[in-house]
Amino acid sequence: MTTMQDSPTAAGSGASASSNFKAAALTSAGASPERVSTVVTAVLQGVHAAIRANAVTYPEFQAAKAWLMEVGEVGEWPLFMDVFVEHVVEEVAADAQHGTKGSILGPYYLPDQTRLAAECELPHRPDEKGEPLVLSGQVRDLDGTPLAGADVEIWHADADGYYSGFAPHIPLGNLRGVVETDAEGKFSIRTVQPAPYQIPTDGPTGKLIEAAGWHPWRPAHLHLMVRADGHRTVTTQLYFAGGDWLDSDVAEATKPELILNPADDGTGTRRASYDFELEPA
Ligand code: MBD
Ligand code: FE
């Protein structure tokens, strides 16, 4: 049995996500007053329309305020926004993009991870649970030119569905790394199969999901961010054919082009390959 201090909580994961996110993002939008007014007016009109259409009552309005306060107090805004809103921001961005399909960044990215050679194993605990998994592939330009020295950054949950940096029982940097492609643009990354991710049920996001009768699951996934000089960075996720929740991701972030089909190589290791195509910056 784990102690309170050792067990991952909504508050623990949310607080780390909040401080990491704020440092990077607070000043970067640079929106004009006209832009702020246009977008915020549209958001408020959407809320007003929902109140009118559903005859929202005073008790419901006060419950909503209390819930919003709790989301902020426990630091779950990054979690809530990335689960319920980010997929539409990504959809809009994707309209103008070519090459490998993107997907949402999510709340659990951390910068400055271990750099690894093209053929590597992700940092892991000596007793890391989970089926061995190898992801290999090539990074190329849209015209097929291999991109040597590109960065394939990868991070994913462990076999219990928890991310390092957001769960106190996992060492920092676990199952995260930045892999540099070889002279042929190729890489091969050994890791373990991640479990599906469950939104923490003890926080306000989880309580809302329960109150609405929804399910709190994302399908098992790998997060990737692929960078090469002179090219637009691709942020995406890869999923697993046949996995649970693939057709009902709570974050609505799956795409048919992003599903791996790993095969056992006869030694108990499952191998999948995926090639990334990057457009010019
Ligand atoms: C995740 O692991 C994730 O990838 C997203 C997008 C939201 C919540 C948890
Ligand atoms: Fe994730």
Side-chain angles (χ1 to χ4, degrees):
M1 191 185 136
T2 53
T3 65
M4 273 300 276
Q5 202 181 6
D6 283 344
S7 60
T9 62
S13 64
S16 305
S18 285
S19 64
N20 287 307
F21 172 77
K22 271 197 290 184
L26 250 181
T27 57
S28 66
S32 67
E34 292 74 20
R35 178 72 175 162
V36 174
S37 179
T38 299
V39 176
V40 176
T41 297
V43 170
L44 291 173
Q45 283 172 347
V47 173
H48 302 160
I51 293 168
R52 290 192 185 103
N54 298 284
V56 170
T57 65
Y58 259 98
E60 287 168 341
F61 173 63
Q62 303 297 20
K65 279 200 298 187
W67 179 85
L68 289 161
M69 290 161 69
E70 200 184 330
V71 174
E73 282 158 14
V74 305
E76 274 196 358
W77 277 119
L79 176 70
F80 180 87
M81 292 295 282
D82 294 353
V83 168
F84 290 112
V85 181
E86 188 182 358
H87 70 96
V88 186
V89 181
E90 197 283 325
E91 176 190 308
V92 169
D95 272 351
Q97 295 174 172
H98 305 276
T100 297
K101 296 287 182 197
S103 185
I104 63 180
L105 175 67
Y108 299 137
Y109 173 72
L110 290 173
D112 305 319
Q113 300 303 313
T114 313
R115 290 199 65 90
L116 299 160
E119 187 169 345
C120 64
E121 182 166 10
L122 292 188
H124 60 87
R125 290 161 285 187
D127 57 348
E128 193 72 46
K129 287 199 298 175
E131 275 184 284
L133 174 72
V134 175
L135 176 71
S136 56
Q138 187 182 39
V139 182
R140 296 187 294 261
D141 200 338
L142 284 189
D143 65 11
T145 309
L147 296 171
D151 282 353
V152 178
E153 178 151 23
I154 180 168
W155 68 102
H156 66 83
D158 69 7
D160 294 321
Y162 296 115
Y163 285 86
S164 62
F166 300 89
H169 66 290
I170 306 178
L172 291 178
N174 204 250
L175 303 178
R176 296 173 183 268
V178 184
V179 182
E180 188 171 324
T181 61
D182 68 14
E184 295 177 343
K186 293 184 175 169
F187 62 90
S188 177
I189 304 164
R190 177 172 286 275
T191 184
V192 295
Q193 173 68 36
Y197 173 86
Q198 183 180 24
I199 310 272
T201 50
D202 63 329
T205 305
K207 285 189 222 158
L208 171 70
I209 288 168
E210 198 192 337
W214 305 334
H215 82 247
W217 293 95
R218 296 211 61 221
H221 56 279
L222 306 172
H223 289 271
L224 293 126
M225 202 185 287
V226 183
R227 293 178 292 263
D229 288 344
H231 295 77
R232 178 180 61 76
T233 297
V234 168
T235 299
T236 195
Q237 301 186 30
L238 295 174
Y239 303 90
F240 299 90
D244 290 339
W245 318 112
L246 205 49
D247 297 323
S248 63
D249 180 6
V250 65
E252 297 185 53
T254 65
K255 296 184 184 182
E257 299 88 346
L258 300 176
I259 299 174
L260 299 170
N261 207 167
D264 195 306
D265 66 3
T267 72
T269 295
R270 293 166 70 239
R271 293 181 183 269
S273 74
Y274 202 85
D275 296 343
F276 296 93
E277 292 174 353
L278 270 49
E279 67 180 330

PDB file of all heavy atoms in Angstrom, residues 232-248:
ATOM      1  N   ARG A 232       9.170  22.661 -39.930  1.00  0.00           N
ATOM      2  CA  ARG A 232       8.183  22.896 -38.874  1.00  0.00           C
ATOM      3  C   ARG A 232       8.154  21.698 -37.922  1.00  0.00           C
ATOM      4  O   ARG A 232       8.079  20.557 -38.366  1.00  0.00           O
ATOM      5  CB  ARG A 232       6.791  23.101 -39.493  1.00  0.00           C
ATOM      6  CG  ARG A 232       5.697  23.317 -38.445  1.00  0.00           C
ATOM      7  CD  ARG A 232       4.312  23.520 -39.050  1.00  0.00           C
ATOM      8  NE  ARG A 232       3.862  22.380 -39.815  1.00  0.00           N
ATOM      9  CZ  ARG A 232       3.399  21.240 -39.279  1.00  0.00           C
ATOM     10  NH1 ARG A 232       3.352  21.107 -37.961  1.00  0.00           N
ATOM     11  NH2 ARG A 232       3.015  20.251 -40.042  1.00  0.00           N
ATOM     12  N   THR A 233       8.217  21.986 -36.651  1.00  0.00           N
ATOM     13  CA  THR A 233       8.167  20.923 -35.645  1.00  0.00           C
ATOM     14  C   THR A 233       6.795  20.248 -35.655  1.00  0.00           C
ATOM     15  O   THR A 233       5.772  20.919 -35.709  1.00  0.00           O
ATOM     16  CB  THR A 233       8.445  21.513 -34.246  1.00  0.00           C
ATOM     17  OG1 THR A 233       9.777  22.037 -34.236  1.00  0.00           O
ATOM     18  CG2 THR A 233       8.291  20.474 -33.147  1.00  0.00           C
ATOM     19  N   VAL A 234       6.804  18.922 -35.627  1.00  0.00           N
ATOM     20  CA  VAL A 234       5.556  18.158 -35.539  1.00  0.00           C
ATOM     21  C   VAL A 234       5.376  17.672 -34.103  1.00  0.00           C
ATOM     22  O   VAL A 234       6.238  16.992 -33.550  1.00  0.00           O
ATOM     23  CB  VAL A 234       5.571  16.945 -36.499  1.00  0.00           C
ATOM     24  CG1 VAL A 234       4.415  15.995 -36.180  1.00  0.00           C
ATOM     25  CG2 VAL A 234       5.473  17.408 -37.942  1.00  0.00           C
ATOM     26  N   THR A 235       4.253  18.052 -33.488  1.00  0.00           N
ATOM     27  CA  THR A 235       3.868  17.541 -32.173  1.00  0.00           C
ATOM     28  C   THR A 235       2.734  16.567 -32.403  1.00  0.00           C
ATOM     29  O   THR A 235       1.722  16.924 -33.007  1.00  0.00           O
ATOM     30  CB  THR A 235       3.395  18.692 -31.265  1.00  0.00           C
ATOM     31  OG1 THR A 235       4.474  19.613 -31.095  1.00  0.00           O
ATOM     32  CG2 THR A 235       2.946  18.170 -29.907  1.00  0.00           C
ATOM     33  N   THR A 236       2.907  15.319 -31.950  1.00  0.00           N
ATOM     34  CA  THR A 236       1.860  14.343 -32.242  1.00  0.00           C
ATOM     35  C   THR A 236       1.805  13.248 -31.180  1.00  0.00           C
ATOM     36  O   THR A 236       2.520  13.309 -30.168  1.00  0.00           O
ATOM     37  CB  THR A 236       2.054  13.764 -33.671  1.00  0.00           C
ATOM     38  OG1 THR A 236       0.868  13.095 -34.060  1.00  0.00           O
ATOM     39  CG2 THR A 236       3.258  12.850 -33.756  1.00  0.00           C
ATOM     40  N   GLN A 237       0.925  12.286 -31.393  1.00  0.00           N
ATOM     41  CA  GLN A 237       0.824  11.125 -30.507  1.00  0.00           C
ATOM     42  C   GLN A 237       0.612   9.906 -31.383  1.00  0.00           C
ATOM     43  O   GLN A 237       0.010   9.996 -32.450  1.00  0.00           O
ATOM     44  CB  GLN A 237      -0.383  11.255 -29.555  1.00  0.00           C
ATOM     45  CG  GLN A 237      -0.328  12.491 -28.677  1.00  0.00           C
ATOM     46  CD  GLN A 237      -1.447  12.534 -27.655  1.00  0.00           C
ATOM     47  OE1 GLN A 237      -1.937  11.499 -27.196  1.00  0.00           O
ATOM     48  NE2 GLN A 237      -1.847  13.731 -27.266  1.00  0.00           N
ATOM     49  N   LEU A 238       1.116   8.767 -30.912  1.00  0.00           N
ATOM     50  CA  LEU A 238       0.887   7.505 -31.614  1.00  0.00           C
ATOM     51  C   LEU A 238       0.115   6.567 -30.685  1.00  0.00           C
ATOM     52  O   LEU A 238       0.391   6.504 -29.481  1.00  0.00           O
ATOM     53  CB  LEU A 238       2.218   6.880 -32.041  1.00  0.00           C
ATOM     54  CG  LEU A 238       3.001   7.690 -33.090  1.00  0.00           C
ATOM     55  CD1 LEU A 238       4.373   7.061 -33.329  1.00  0.00           C
ATOM     56  CD2 LEU A 238       2.227   7.825 -34.390  1.00  0.00           C
ATOM     57  N   TYR A 239      -0.843   5.850 -31.266  1.00  0.00           N
ATOM     58  CA  TYR A 239      -1.745   4.977 -30.519  1.00  0.00           C
ATOM     59  C   TYR A 239      -1.525   3.531 -30.939  1.00  0.00           C
ATOM     60  O   TYR A 239      -0.726   3.260 -31.842  1.00  0.00           O
ATOM     61  CB  TYR A 239      -3.187   5.417 -30.776  1.00  0.00           C
ATOM     62  CG  TYR A 239      -3.408   6.874 -30.416  1.00  0.00           C
ATOM     63  CD1 TYR A 239      -3.222   7.892 -31.371  1.00  0.00           C
ATOM     64  CD2 TYR A 239      -3.764   7.242 -29.130  1.00  0.00           C
ATOM     65  CE1 TYR A 239      -3.395   9.232 -31.041  1.00  0.00           C
ATOM     66  CE2 TYR A 239      -3.945   8.578 -28.787  1.00  0.00           C
ATOM     67  CZ  TYR A 239      -3.760   9.566 -29.753  1.00  0.00           C
ATOM     68  OH  TYR A 239      -3.930  10.880 -29.412  1.00  0.00           O
ATOM     69  N   PHE A 240      -2.257   2.595 -30.350  1.00  0.00           N
ATOM     70  CA  PHE A 240      -2.025   1.170 -30.584  1.00  0.00           C
ATOM     71  C   PHE A 240      -3.296   0.497 -31.079  1.00  0.00           C
ATOM     72  O   PHE A 240      -4.338   0.558 -30.408  1.00  0.00           O
ATOM     73  CB  PHE A 240      -1.529   0.515 -29.294  1.00  0.00           C
ATOM     74  CG  PHE A 240      -0.228   1.114 -28.821  1.00  0.00           C
ATOM     75  CD1 PHE A 240      -0.222   2.202 -27.961  1.00  0.00           C
ATOM     76  CD2 PHE A 240       0.987   0.621 -29.295  1.00  0.00           C
ATOM     77  CE1 PHE A 240       0.974   2.795 -27.564  1.00  0.00           C
ATOM     78  CE2 PHE A 240       2.182   1.207 -28.901  1.00  0.00           C
ATOM     79  CZ  PHE A 240       2.175   2.290 -28.038  1.00  0.00           C
ATOM     80  N   ALA A 241      -3.189  -0.140 -32.260  1.00  0.00           N
ATOM     81  CA  ALA A 241      -4.352  -0.806 -32.857  1.00  0.00           C
ATOM     82  C   ALA A 241      -4.967  -1.784 -31.864  1.00  0.00           C
ATOM     83  O   ALA A 241      -4.250  -2.518 -31.175  1.00  0.00           O
ATOM     84  CB  ALA A 241      -3.931  -1.541 -34.136  1.00  0.00           C
ATOM     85  N   GLY A 242      -6.277  -1.772 -31.781  1.00  0.00           N
ATOM     86  CA  GLY A 242      -6.977  -2.721 -30.924  1.00  0.00           C
ATOM     87  C   GLY A 242      -7.035  -2.336 -29.468  1.00  0.00           C
ATOM     88  O   GLY A 242      -7.632  -3.062 -28.660  1.00  0.00           O
ATOM     89  N   GLY A 243      -6.422  -1.211 -29.100  1.00  0.00           N
ATOM     90  CA  GLY A 243      -6.373  -0.826 -27.689  1.00  0.00           C
ATOM     91  C   GLY A 243      -7.701  -0.277 -27.178  1.00  0.00           C
ATOM     92  O   GLY A 243      -8.531   0.197 -27.960  1.00  0.00           O
ATOM     93  N   ASP A 244      -7.869  -0.345 -25.859  1.00  0.00           N
ATOM     94  CA  ASP A 244      -9.078   0.208 -25.243  1.00  0.00           C
ATOM     95  C   ASP A 244      -9.151   1.716 -25.441  1.00  0.00           C
ATOM     96  O   ASP A 244      -8.111   2.396 -25.453  1.00  0.00           O
ATOM     97  CB  ASP A 244      -9.084  -0.086 -23.734  1.00  0.00           C
ATOM     98  CG  ASP A 244      -9.303  -1.559 -23.447  1.00  0.00           C
ATOM     99  OD1 ASP A 244      -9.833  -2.258 -24.338  1.00  0.00           O
ATOM    100  OD2 ASP A 244      -8.927  -2.004 -22.350  1.00  0.00           O
ATOM    101  N   TRP A 245     -10.352   2.234 -25.592  1.00  0.00           N
ATOM    102  CA  TRP A 245     -10.661   3.676 -25.629  1.00  0.00           C
ATOM    103  C   TRP A 245     -10.221   4.359 -26.921  1.00  0.00           C
ATOM    104  O   TRP A 245     -10.349   5.571 -27.057  1.00  0.00           O
ATOM    105  CB  TRP A 245     -10.050   4.427 -24.431  1.00  0.00           C
ATOM    106  CG  TRP A 245     -10.177   3.689 -23.147  1.00  0.00           C
ATOM    107  CD1 TRP A 245      -9.156   3.135 -22.414  1.00  0.00           C
ATOM    108  CD2 TRP A 245     -11.387   3.389 -22.440  1.00  0.00           C
ATOM    109  NE1 TRP A 245      -9.659   2.506 -21.299  1.00  0.00           N
ATOM    110  CE2 TRP A 245     -11.023   2.640 -21.287  1.00  0.00           C
ATOM    111  CE3 TRP A 245     -12.737   3.660 -22.667  1.00  0.00           C
ATOM    112  CZ2 TRP A 245     -11.962   2.184 -20.380  1.00  0.00           C
ATOM    113  CZ3 TRP A 245     -13.669   3.201 -21.747  1.00  0.00           C
ATOM    114  CH2 TRP A 245     -13.274   2.478 -20.630  1.00  0.00           C
ATOM    115  N   LEU A 246      -9.733   3.583 -27.891  1.00  0.00           N
ATOM    116  CA  LEU A 246      -9.257   4.173 -29.146  1.00  0.00           C
ATOM    117  C   LEU A 246     -10.389   4.925 -29.851  1.00  0.00           C
ATOM    118  O   LEU A 246     -10.149   5.934 -30.517  1.00  0.00           O
ATOM    119  CB  LEU A 246      -8.718   3.050 -30.034  1.00  0.00           C
ATOM    120  CG  LEU A 246      -7.679   3.375 -31.085  1.00  0.00           C
ATOM    121  CD1 LEU A 246      -6.518   4.191 -30.526  1.00  0.00           C
ATOM    122  CD2 LEU A 246      -7.143   2.068 -31.672  1.00  0.00           C
ATOM    123  N   ASP A 247     -11.602   4.438 -29.707  1.00  0.00           N
ATOM    124  CA  ASP A 247     -12.736   5.066 -30.397  1.00  0.00           C
ATOM    125  C   ASP A 247     -13.543   6.000 -29.504  1.00  0.00           C
ATOM    126  O   ASP A 247     -14.579   6.520 -29.917  1.00  0.00           O
ATOM    127  CB  ASP A 247     -13.669   3.980 -30.972  1.00  0.00           C
ATOM    128  CG  ASP A 247     -12.953   3.144 -32.013  1.00  0.00           C
ATOM    129  OD1 ASP A 247     -12.152   3.701 -32.776  1.00  0.00           O
ATOM    130  OD2 ASP A 247     -13.180   1.911 -32.031  1.00  0.00           O
ATOM    131  N   SER A 248     -13.066   6.221 -28.279  1.00  0.00           N
ATOM    132  CA  SER A 248     -13.820   7.115 -27.380  1.00  0.00           C
ATOM    133  C   SER A 248     -12.880   7.896 -26.467  1.00  0.00           C
ATOM    134  O   SER A 248     -13.183   8.124 -25.298  1.00  0.00           O
ATOM    135  CB  SER A 248     -14.813   6.315 -26.545  1.00  0.00           C
ATOM    136  OG  SER A 248     -14.126   5.392 -25.709  1.00  0.00           O
TER     137      SER A 248
END
